[in-house]
Amino acid sequence: MSRRKGVDKFVVKREKETALHLKPGVFPLGRQSEWTEQNRTITFAIHPLTAGVAVSVAGKEPREKLSKDVKVYEPDERVYFCKTVAVPDGRLPFANDTHAVFVAMQSIMGQEAEEVGIEGLLRMSALYREAMLRQVSMLQDAEQQQESEFVEAEVETFQSMHAIWHLLEIIYLATNLPGLSTSIVPHYMEWLNFNFPAPLAEDGQRIADSARDADALNDNAELWPYLKKLALRGHMTTLANMLEQVAPAQQLSAPAARWARELARVSREMPLGTSDETAGSFNARWRRWSNETRDIATAIGSLLSDDKDDPQLSSLFAIAEILRGEVDVISEEGDLWQDVLGSILLYSEPTAQADRLPALAQVVLEQFQTDEFTQLDRALVALLSHDLAEFLVYSNQIDSWLSAHTSDIMDHLGILDEWRSVFAVDPRAHYLHLLGERYLSHRDLWHVGLDYFGQSKTPAGVSLVEESIVRMPLESDRRAQKMLDVCTKYGLTTAADRIHRQLGRQKWQRGRLGAAIGHFARVEDRNSIGQICDQLWAEYLKSGNLTYGPIIDGVMANGRLQHDRLQFLTQYRDFHESYKAGDFVAAGRILLAILVDETAPPHAISDLLVDAIPLLEGDKLVFSADDTFELMRCAEALTQSPLLRKSIEAATAAPVLPWTESVTASGQDELGIFNVACARNLARAFVVQ
């Protein structure tokens, strides 16, 4: 979330002062207006990744300039830590399910786009709609258990998203399958009845059950409005059944009863296209049926001119006019513009294809006050009009998930290319980045947000992934591994190195030295590895217990890590084990190899020479004459080394303290003992040889 957007979300307008709530409250409940009139204003800082907000109260003017009677509340001295909720927890299943579909779509469309085609996209679209419907069902179950304005708003949002997505699927996928010239009319009517369910089947059943006979049915004030709705929606079987039920009513005039039966008959006979029927055959059947409904409407209309006081006949006339496709009557009877468009398609242009929708939608919208339209209405109108730029804008106002995924599927269809010039930036990448920002602040969806950044397939998207991931806290090993997986997925070598270094320092501070070495090894940080090895050696010298064996074994298990300090610790551990087991010859061979190969750090040479003394003085000859000369050479090199001279000079210049005298004397004594041992061993070696 950018700071600018954060500020926009937290602007408190005077007319909405009571809408601001924090727990605990910044100011006393019910005294918001009084609070705003005093020397108080809210300041806050927003964390860019976690959506955390630090809120405090600040004075508009310095307190010294104010009179003493200015009220000061105790909460003014506090800082409140809050969080903005960009993604409610109830959306987690939906976010994860649709993310999986999104990633799968990018994969198959990137590798096998020609083979997948529209059929594959249609299957993916169906998976998106299933996820939306599951979310609606879950929210409705929650709403039944406990009423909530938030849950109600979420239900409305997801129902709107499904209606929009379903219509997009019909226009660009279902009616564009290869080898088919499909009319959009049955698909549109299915969409209309599914997403805007009216008339309800329950209403019809209730009306029918409330009537004992035809007269009682006719007396029901809801009957005739319900029959008109059935006609508008094309529920022909239900319409025919109810007309036949009411026709015998004694209260109906003879003409009304007759035409009720006629309308029931033609409703049952309405032609329906089939896949194996030619367009010419269907059009011929449709013209005959349409002419018959026109004749019925004309006949009823002539009767109405003589008897205008027959309400049932008037309702039958309206039904007949709807069936013949009379736009004025359809517009008058339809409550929704979606109803009017559906009826015009169904009864006037039953073979219309998607490219007819913009013109028909324009005709319908002229009958309605578009300034009262909701965001859903505007998004649907833009989609029907093929105005994809405006459609994406309204979709984003409904929910950023919708704009991100609709722009993505439009891009795969290739229909977004011609609209890219309308936007200042690539629309698909823009909306994917917006959704990614929204998910990034959620503790369980941050990796999903990074995927939406990266899958935008733009340099800016990959940069967003890298910039975000290096700023994320390493809260657990599992989270860290997920972050490294993301780096591997998008080839973010630099970010992965930073994470490994951070993990290495973290493990080092916590005493997990083996894990720290492993992370430093990944980035070839030889300096840090050397420091950890020196720490292990120092701990051994301090305690006298060689306990670092499991750490070294774990690090060296993969066989890929090569470091002279690690090799030294490994060899010294082997020397220790051989000596402890009484295999002095093997122990001497290992110790000599450490010194000759110079794998040991300079500060450890003196300790290694001391370790050689028991082997030099032992009953069994361990070192040959040549070996002894090598040991003496190492001792001579040690005495001439700048490191040793520097330590001696420092000890000489320092104040003479009892402990420094003992250490210096101890070091000199040990070196003298080593030289004597070498001389004795050399004499023995010459005798034996």
Side-chain angles (χ1 to χ4, degrees):
M1 179 187 295
S2 68
R3 185 166 182 83
R4 181 179 181 83
K5 292 179 182 177
V7 171
D8 290 343
K9 282 194 173 185
F10 283 86
V11 169
V12 182
K13 298 181 180 179
R14 291 298 298 272
E15 64 269 23
K16 295 185 178 180
E17 289 167 4
T18 57
L20 182 63
H21 297 287
L22 291 174
K23 292 184 178 180
V26 179
F27 41 78
L29 184 63
R31 302 176 69 176
Q32 291 90 338
S33 297
E34 179 184 354
W35 180 86
T36 55
E37 293 172 359
Q38 301 297 326
N39 179 40
R40 289 169 179 80
T41 185
I42 289 180
T43 62
F44 61 91
I46 303 177
H47 192 283
L49 293 179
T50 64
V53 184
V55 183
S56 61
V57 175
K60 298 176 184 177
E61 297 181 18
R63 185 170 297 180
E64 293 79 5
K65 294 184 177 181
L66 303 174
S67 60
K68 295 182 179 180
D69 59 347
V70 173
K71 297 179 181 178
V72 177
Y73 297 119
E74 182 181 350
D76 287 4
E77 309 300 325
R78 303 176 187 169
V79 175
Y80 300 83
F81 294 96
C82 318
K83 293 204 74 173
T84 59
V85 182
V87 183
D89 289 341
R91 282 203 185 192
L92 281 178
F94 173 77
N96 286 316
D97 291 347
T98 53
H99 169 251
V101 178
F102 172 78
V103 172
M105 182 183 292
Q106 311 316 306
S107 177
I108 63 173
M109 293 304 294
Q111 301 174 2
E112 308 168 357
E114 293 183 0
E115 297 180 10
V116 173
I118 291 182
E119 296 96 329
L121 288 175
L122 184 59
R123 290 193 294 270
M124 291 292 179
S125 176
L127 293 176
Y128 279 133
R129 288 207 295 119
E130 288 174 7
M132 293 181 220
L133 292 176
R134 283 197 302 272
Q135 186 71 9
V136 170
S137 177
M138 182 194 72
L139 289 168
Q140 288 175 337
D141 291 342
E143 192 174 19
Q144 289 179 356
Q145 296 176 4
Q146 182 177 2
E147 291 187 3
S148 167
E149 291 183 3
F150 170 76
V151 174
E152 184 179 349
E154 281 284 276
V155 170
E156 182 179 351
T157 297
F158 276 93
Q159 287 176 338
S160 298
M161 288 165 57
H162 182 271
I164 293 171
W165 191 279
H166 194 182
L167 185 59
L168 181 146
E169 178 184 293
I170 290 171
I171 294 174
Y172 293 106
L173 296 174
T175 58
N176 283 290
L177 294 172
L180 295 178
S181 179
T182 308
S183 168
I184 200 172
V185 176
H187 296 282
Y188 180 89
M189 298 307 296
E190 177 189 359
W191 168 82
L192 179 61
N193 287 305
F194 186 90
N195 294 281
F196 301 91
L200 298 175
E202 294 83 355
D203 293 340
Q205 189 63 44
R206 177 174 48 78
I207 293 171
D209 292 344
S210 65
R212 301 182 305 275
D213 51 29
D215 288 311
L217 182 61
N218 181 61
D219 289 338
N220 193 318
E222 298 180 59
L223 173 66
W224 294 101
Y226 184 77
L227 293 179
K228 295 175 188 177
K229 290 181 181 179
L230 290 174
L232 285 169
R233 289 297 185 96
H235 297 305
M236 309 308 284
T237 301
T238 306
L239 174 62
N241 289 339
M242 298 194 76
L243 285 172
E244 289 176 346
Q245 291 177 25
V246 76
Q250 296 296 323
Q251 298 172 354
L252 285 182
S253 63
R258 175 195 170 192
W259 292 114
R261 293 187 178 91
E262 283 296 302
L263 284 174
R265 178 183 62 79
V266 296
S267 297
R268 294 189 187 280
E269 295 175 355
M270 178 180 174
L272 297 175
T274 59
S275 58
D276 57 350
E277 184 179 21
T278 64
S281 174
F282 174 76
N283 287 333
R285 291 196 301 122
W286 181 266
R287 281 194 298 272
R288 288 195 297 270
W289 183 84
S290 183
N291 290 335
E292 187 172 5
T293 57
R294 185 176 63 251
D295 293 341
I296 292 175
T298 302
I300 299 175
S302 64
L303 291 174
L304 277 177
S305 62
D306 298 331
D307 187 2
K308 296 182 180 180
D309 296 329
D310 192 336
Q312 292 82 6
L313 196 60
S314 297
S315 296
L316 290 170
F317 177 69
I319 293 172
E321 289 287 273
I322 292 172
L323 297 184
R324 65 172 289 200
E326 180 58 40
V327 175
D328 291 339
V329 177
I330 292 174
S331 300
E332 182 180 349
E333 296 295 339
D335 295 328
L336 303 174
W337 65 264
Q338 294 92 334
D339 282 338
V340 176
L341 178 59
S343 296
I344 292 175
L345 284 169
L346 185 61
Y347 299 120
S348 297
E349 300 199 30
T351 59
Q353 296 187 357
D355 56 5
R356 279 287 293 153
L357 290 177
L360 292 176
Q362 185 62 36
V363 172
V364 171
L365 294 175
E366 291 175 355
Q367 312 295 323
F368 289 85
Q369 295 292 331
T370 56
D371 56 344
E372 299 178 358
F373 276 12
T374 64
Q375 290 177 337
L376 171 60
D377 290 322
R378 298 182 188 281
L380 292 174
V381 169
L383 184 58
L384 289 169
S385 303
H386 300 330
D387 187 347
L388 301 187
E390 189 170 346
F391 165 71
L392 289 175
V393 171
Y394 287 126
S395 295
N396 189 62
Q397 292 175 2
I398 292 172
D399 197 273
S400 57
W401 182 96
L402 183 62
S403 56
H405 290 84
T406 52
S407 62
D408 175 62
I409 200 168
M410 286 178 177
D411 184 63
H412 291 307
L413 284 167
I415 60 178
L416 197 59
D417 295 339
E418 61 183 290
W419 292 94
R420 280 192 161 88
S421 60
V422 178
F423 294 88
V425 294
D426 179 76
R428 176 180 179 272
H430 172 70
Y431 289 116
L432 288 178
H433 293 171
L434 287 180
L435 183 61
E437 286 183 15
R438 183 178 177 186
Y439 284 161
L440 195 61
S441 63
H442 196 283
R443 64 184 181 279
D444 296 324
L445 294 176
W446 59 268
H447 61 289
V448 175
L450 293 176
D451 255 348
Y452 282 106
F453 287 158
Q455 291 295 344
S456 66
K457 306 294 176 58
T458 60
V462 177
S463 296
L464 282 171
V465 176
E466 187 166 16
E467 290 174 7
S468 301
I469 205 165
V470 296
R471 290 174 171 83
M472 289 183 174
L474 301 174
E475 297 175 347
S476 65
D477 290 344
R478 181 180 179 184
R479 181 186 178 104
Q481 188 55 53
K482 282 187 176 182
M483 293 167 65
L484 291 171
D485 291 342
V486 171
C487 292
T488 302
K489 182 176 182 179
Y490 296 107
L492 305 177
T493 306
T494 303
D497 288 351
R498 290 183 63 176
I499 292 172
H500 276 300
R501 284 192 172 89
Q502 189 175 350
L503 284 170
R505 290 190 293 270
Q506 189 181 86
K507 304 302 181 187
W508 192 355
Q509 292 172 356
R510 296 175 180 175
R512 297 176 58 184
L513 302 183
I517 292 174
H519 286 294
F520 287 132
R522 292 291 186 91
V523 295
E524 300 182 357
D525 188 349
R526 301 182 65 83
N527 183 49
S528 295
I529 294 174
Q531 291 181 33
I532 294 176
C533 292
D534 290 345
Q535 179 180 332
L536 292 172
W537 178 254
E539 290 175 356
Y540 161 67
L541 294 179
K542 182 178 181 180
S543 65
N545 298 320
L546 197 152
T547 57
Y548 62 74
I551 296 176
I552 299 301
D553 291 338
V555 172
M556 302 294 286
N558 56 25
R560 294 179 298 176
L561 181 58
Q562 298 295 329
H563 195 283
D564 51 358
R565 299 292 175 85
L566 289 172
Q567 183 180 353
F568 159 64
L569 292 178
T570 302
Q571 289 177 310
Y572 189 81
R573 190 267 311 272
D574 296 340
F575 158 75
H576 213 274
E577 291 178 350
S578 297
Y579 189 93
K580 188 176 181 180
D583 190 353
F584 300 126
V585 174
R589 188 165 54 250
I590 295 171
L591 185 62
L592 186 63
I594 294 174
L595 292 167
V596 172
D597 296 341
E598 297 182 351
T599 58
H603 58 76
I605 299 296
S606 59
D607 297 305
L608 297 176
L609 295 177
V610 172
D611 285 336
I613 294 175
L615 298 176
L616 291 167
E617 295 284 352
D619 296 334
K620 185 177 181 179
L621 184 66
V622 174
F623 297 109
S624 66
D626 291 339
D627 295 341
T628 306
F629 282 126
E630 285 293 336
L631 291 174
M632 295 173 69
R633 181 188 63 77
C634 292
E636 180 66 19
L638 177 64
T639 59
Q640 300 298 323
S641 68
L643 180 65
L644 181 62
R645 287 201 304 270
K646 185 176 181 180
S647 63
I648 292 174
E649 292 172 359
T652 303
V656 179
L657 299 173
W659 69 268
T660 57
E661 289 181 342
S662 63
V663 169
T664 305
S666 175
Q668 293 175 349
D669 291 344
E670 288 176 346
L671 189 57
I673 294 172
F674 172 78
N675 289 330
V676 172
C678 284
R680 291 176 180 174
N681 189 78
L682 192 60
R684 284 198 299 165
F686 282 134
V687 172
V688 172
Q689 291 177 353

